[in-house]
Amino acid sequence: FASLIETHSWSTVKVDRNAFQFFYRYVINRPWEWLNIVKPPQVRTLPDILTPTEISMIISRTKQLRYQTFFLTLYSLGLRLGEGRHLAIGDIDKALMQVHIRNAKGGKDRYITLPQRTLEALRVYWATHRHPTWIFPSKSIISDAVIDSSGIQKALKAVVRDCPFTKRVSPHTLRHCYATHLLELGVDLRSLQSLLGHNSLNTTARYTQLTDIRIKDTGDKIDQLANNLSIKWEVDHDSGKHY
């Protein structure tokens, strides 16, 4: 292990350590004490945060309507990548203006406020394919499959290369920006914890390192979050229509 620590990443060391730990505890039934020192250091990095202008630029410069709508949805709802991919028609409650996120991280459900602008964008995009179940279905012949995660990541990577900033951006960056921008708009930590689906308030509180907090109304601010974006919508290449 001393040699591994010198030559390999901590993720590799951790996998090897866990294998030995399992072997000792559950195979030969021996106590596990002598390798407790083999632990990775506690390193916490802060994510790059985009401004609303930069997020607007990313969405506007995305060339396909499906990815434009998907990026807006991730940002304006604060979703994880898997949560966005598996949004179903039945998850959208137009009467209450909320979205039901099902079986999220930790097996938990939660409800998120739905901005009017996002609802309108989802309606327009769904009308281009009218899938009976999914809002973001796959283009493959498998009828019940959802949009592919690698395609989303490639589309985002391509558009970021075309933007005049050098920040590190992934689909999860949009969730970080959602949290940070809502804090800047004055949403309190407890409300944000519920929206993000965090088990611990301490996890949510990490975003306070990225911004100042002012207390204001949550629902109006989520609408404002989406309305602040200046987006130029592209022609949908499948239907030939411009939205």
Side-chain angles (χ1 to χ4, degrees):
F1 274 102
S3 176
L4 281 175
I5 291 170
E6 293 295 327
T7 59
H8 290 71
S9 68
W10 274 108
S11 60
T12 300
V13 175
K14 186 176 180 181
V15 169
D16 292 343
R17 177 190 179 275
N18 288 345
F20 273 108
Q21 181 175 342
F22 182 91
F23 179 75
Y24 265 71
R25 287 182 174 177
Y26 302 107
V27 179
I28 62 175
N29 197 26
R30 294 271 298 277
W32 179 264
E33 296 178 358
W34 59 281
L35 283 177
N36 280 342
I37 60 171
V38 185
K39 294 182 179 180
Q42 293 294 324
V43 178
R44 291 183 178 178
T45 59
L46 295 178
D48 286 343
I49 299 299
L50 302 169
T51 66
T53 298
E54 290 168 338
I55 290 177
S56 300
M57 188 181 301
I58 286 175
I59 298 174
S60 296
R61 295 188 180 193
T62 301
K63 300 304 182 183
Q64 295 187 46
L65 183 64
R66 68 199 306 248
Y67 293 130
Q68 280 188 311
T69 309
F70 189 84
F71 296 153
L72 171 64
T73 301
L74 282 193
Y75 170 68
S76 63
L77 298 180
L79 301 181
R80 301 176 179 93
L81 178 59
E83 294 170 351
R85 291 174 60 226
H86 290 89
L87 277 181
I89 298 170
D91 297 333
I92 308 299
D93 189 330
K94 298 184 288 295
L96 296 178
M97 290 302 291
Q98 64 183 16
V99 180
H100 188 176
I101 306 301
R102 303 174 190 274
N103 195 28
K105 188 175 181 179
K108 298 195 311 179
D109 286 17
R110 71 183 187 277
Y111 289 96
I112 299 176
T113 302
L114 173 64
Q116 180 65 38
R117 187 175 193 181
T118 305
L119 173 62
E120 293 169 359
L122 291 174
R123 281 173 168 169
V124 169
Y125 172 64
W126 182 81
T128 66
H129 60 77
R130 297 188 178 276
H131 192 277
T133 303
W134 303 117
I135 294 178
F136 295 102
S138 170
K139 284 187 174 181
S140 72
I141 59 175
I142 305 175
S143 60
D144 60 346
V146 297
I147 188 172
D148 181 60
S149 59
S150 63
I152 295 167
Q153 293 164 342
K154 289 178 182 177
L156 183 58
K157 185 177 181 180
V159 71
V160 168
R161 282 199 303 264
D162 189 43
C163 292
F165 52 80
T166 57
K167 297 176 181 178
R168 299 180 63 179
V169 181
S170 70
H172 204 71
T173 300
L174 301 178
R175 176 174 161 89
H176 289 319
C177 293
Y178 169 87
T180 304
H181 294 166
L182 284 180
L183 284 175
E184 290 175 343
L185 290 170
V187 174
D188 63 273
L189 280 175
R190 289 290 184 186
S191 298
L192 188 59
Q193 178 189 6
S194 176
L195 292 168
L196 293 173
H198 287 159
N199 287 324
S200 171
L201 187 61
N202 290 334
T203 304
T204 313
R206 294 175 187 171
Y207 289 106
T208 61
Q209 301 175 59
L210 307 175
T211 186
D212 296 325
I213 302 176
R214 297 181 301 277
I215 299 177
K216 296 180 183 178
D217 181 72
T218 301
D220 291 343
K221 297 309 176 185
I222 293 177
D223 264 326
Q224 185 178 338
L225 181 81
N227 291 335
N228 282 345
L229 298 177
S230 177
I231 301 172
K232 297 178 181 178
W233 293 99
E234 293 290 333
V235 173
D236 181 68
H237 297 286
D238 294 329
S239 65
K241 297 180 181 178
H242 187 276
Y243 300 95

